[in-house]
Amino acid sequence: MIFTSVSQELSQGDSAPGFWRAQIVGWMFLAFVGFFIRLAVFGNAVVAFWLTLGLEPLAFAMTSAAAVLHGRRSDKADAPLLVLACAVLLCLAASALLALIAYAIHGLFASEAIRVVPGNQYRLGFIYYMGILSIWTLIYFGVSAELAARTERISKMRAETRSLRLELEHLQSQIEPHFLFNALNTIVAEIAERPGIAEDMTRSLAGYLRYSLDRRGRGLSRLEEEIEAAQAYIRIQALRFDKRLECRCQIDPATLEINIPRMTLQGLAENAIKHGMRSQHDRFQIRIRTRLAGDELIIEVDNPGQLQAPFDLAKGGGGLGNLCRRLALRYADRYAFSLEQRGERTVAEIRLKGSPDAL
């Protein structure tokens, strides 16, 4: 039902302090206004005082009980029209009872002490309390509906955030095993012919995994940490290619403390090595550059070689497709990724605007 969330709070009594504060303050205000209305009608402050003292607390108790009872039935599959019909009937019954009590209190005073009111005084009291209780009911259900809608929106946002977080964790879990398998395969290939190199690669891999495990569970890393991780990965691959593989960094110091998704640079470095291996150069150099353009972080990783036929990176598979999806989750429409040919080098460029979204 649309009133479920607020009603559940109301059924728990003091767990809904906002409702009870509004209830108390509202009826105190109505008692204040009601006193002066009765004073104007009957022309007697004593009569107005006792009517107010006897009726407003009773109306407060009735509306509070109705709210609590409604809350206890919030888990029932009642149709909105049935709830509305019950509310109308309760308003009628409560108004009739309050008018009857007011008529009885009024009769306790001598007629000469009270200003004569033309017409049926009981009917006048009934109309008055019917108006007050109808307004209270409309406000109650209106606020309940608004709070229930807000709660539903928050729940939906939390569900979407959890879904995105799980997707991000899944994407992250795909990266690390992929890197580990590649590194282990590289080590295995070197054991027979170059056991010394394989041993150095194993030590480098152990150091990298220690670094990675220390940061496991963190969705974001400082750019400085990302550069260190990418360099460690490149050092592992450099042992395989002897001195053919080099890494040069041109880093703007202002970018070092910026947080970006973990293993962003490693994905670019892995892609650069894969493309660089296809080149005919005896040695190839991977260059990592970072800079700021306003509030936009620009990261470039380039390598020698010719770019293959272009494809949609966001929809493509592999490490770059994974990277694009992770960037989309963190930056929505605030990122750009390009892979293009510039002269004899293939350049991967990422542009990130603002801070990454928290998931």
Side-chain angles (χ1 to χ4, degrees):
M1 286 180 59
I2 194 169
F3 312 122
T4 299
S5 63
V6 173
S7 300
Q8 288 174 340
E9 287 185 347
L10 296 178
S11 68
Q12 296 172 0
D14 58 359
S15 65
F19 166 78
W20 293 112
R21 282 196 297 268
Q23 175 79 335
I24 293 171
V25 172
W27 278 107
M28 288 179 64
F29 175 76
L30 288 175
F32 178 79
V33 173
F35 171 80
F36 285 99
I37 291 176
R38 296 181 182 103
L39 179 61
V41 171
F42 298 112
N44 189 307
V46 176
V47 174
F49 173 79
W50 284 109
L51 285 172
T52 301
L53 185 64
L55 295 172
E56 259 63 25
L58 181 58
F60 171 85
M62 288 179 174
T63 53
S64 297
V68 172
L69 289 174
H70 177 255
R72 290 179 178 177
R73 290 194 56 83
S74 61
D75 58 338
K76 306 296 190 298
D78 294 334
L81 289 179
L82 178 59
V83 174
L84 181 61
C86 291
V88 171
L89 290 176
L90 287 174
C91 284
L92 290 171
S95 299
L97 178 60
L98 289 170
L100 182 62
I101 294 173
Y103 186 77
I105 295 175
H106 177 271
L108 296 176
F109 296 90
S111 58
E112 61 271 11
I114 304 173
R115 181 182 300 165
V116 177
V117 180
N120 191 322
Q121 296 181 18
Y122 176 81
R123 183 174 60 186
L124 183 64
F126 176 82
I127 294 174
Y128 173 78
Y129 288 110
M130 188 63 190
I132 294 294
L133 294 178
S134 296
I135 293 173
W136 183 94
T137 302
L138 290 174
I139 293 175
Y140 172 80
F141 282 119
V143 174
S144 297
E146 173 60 26
L147 292 179
R150 184 182 304 175
T151 301
E152 184 177 354
R153 289 194 299 269
I154 293 174
S155 298
K156 184 178 180 180
M157 290 174 60
R158 286 177 177 171
E160 291 175 351
T161 301
R162 176 173 173 78
S163 176
L164 292 176
R165 185 183 295 114
L166 291 174
E167 182 179 0
L168 192 59
E169 291 175 356
H170 174 68
L171 292 170
Q172 189 72 37
S173 69
Q174 289 179 330
I175 300 174
E176 295 181 357
H178 173 71
F179 158 72
L180 181 59
F181 292 149
N182 285 349
L184 290 175
N185 288 334
T186 300
I187 292 173
V188 169
E190 300 296 333
I191 290 177
E193 297 182 2
R194 300 189 296 177
I197 295 297
E199 183 178 352
D200 290 340
M201 293 174 66
T202 302
R203 290 196 183 96
S204 298
L205 177 60
Y208 177 85
L209 291 178
R210 188 178 301 110
Y211 168 90
S212 179
L213 290 174
D214 287 343
R215 291 156 179 79
R216 190 172 184 84
R218 290 169 48 186
L220 302 172
S221 294
R222 290 183 295 110
L223 182 59
E224 182 178 15
E225 296 174 332
E226 281 292 297
I227 293 172
E228 292 175 1
Q231 289 175 330
Y233 171 76
I234 292 173
R235 283 195 295 269
I236 294 172
Q237 297 298 330
L239 289 170
R240 177 182 178 185
F241 298 108
D242 292 327
K243 296 183 179 180
R244 290 185 58 209
L245 178 58
E246 298 178 2
C247 178
R248 293 287 183 269
C249 295
Q250 186 177 348
I251 308 300
D252 182 350
T255 66
L256 292 176
E257 297 299 319
I258 297 177
N259 286 323
I260 63 173
R262 279 190 65 229
M263 304 187 80
T264 295
L265 277 181
Q266 182 192 302
L268 297 179
E270 186 174 354
N271 180 73
I273 291 173
K274 181 173 65 175
H275 282 286
M277 289 174 58
R278 297 172 183 168
S279 69
Q280 302 301 318
H281 298 77
D282 293 334
R283 55 187 292 273
F284 64 91
Q285 183 184 92
I286 295 174
R287 296 186 301 204
I288 300 175
R289 295 186 297 275
T290 69
R291 68 181 189 276
L292 285 175
D295 64 342
E296 189 174 56
L297 170 64
I298 302 174
I299 303 173
E300 291 182 354
V301 177
D302 65 71
N303 59 271
Q306 295 295 317
L307 181 64
Q308 303 299 310
F311 65 99
D312 189 340
L313 291 171
K315 296 181 180 178
L320 294 183
N322 182 300
L323 174 59
C324 286
R325 180 55 184 159
R326 289 190 294 125
L327 292 177
L329 291 175
R330 288 288 188 179
Y331 293 90
D333 298 326
R334 297 180 291 111
Y335 86 100
F337 187 99
S338 64
L339 187 63
E340 60 184 7
Q341 191 70 38
R342 298 181 187 175
E344 296 183 354
R345 302 186 70 84
T346 299
V347 181
E349 181 184 83
I350 295 177
R351 290 177 174 264
L352 305 175
K353 191 169 185 179
S355 300
D357 295 332
L359 294 178

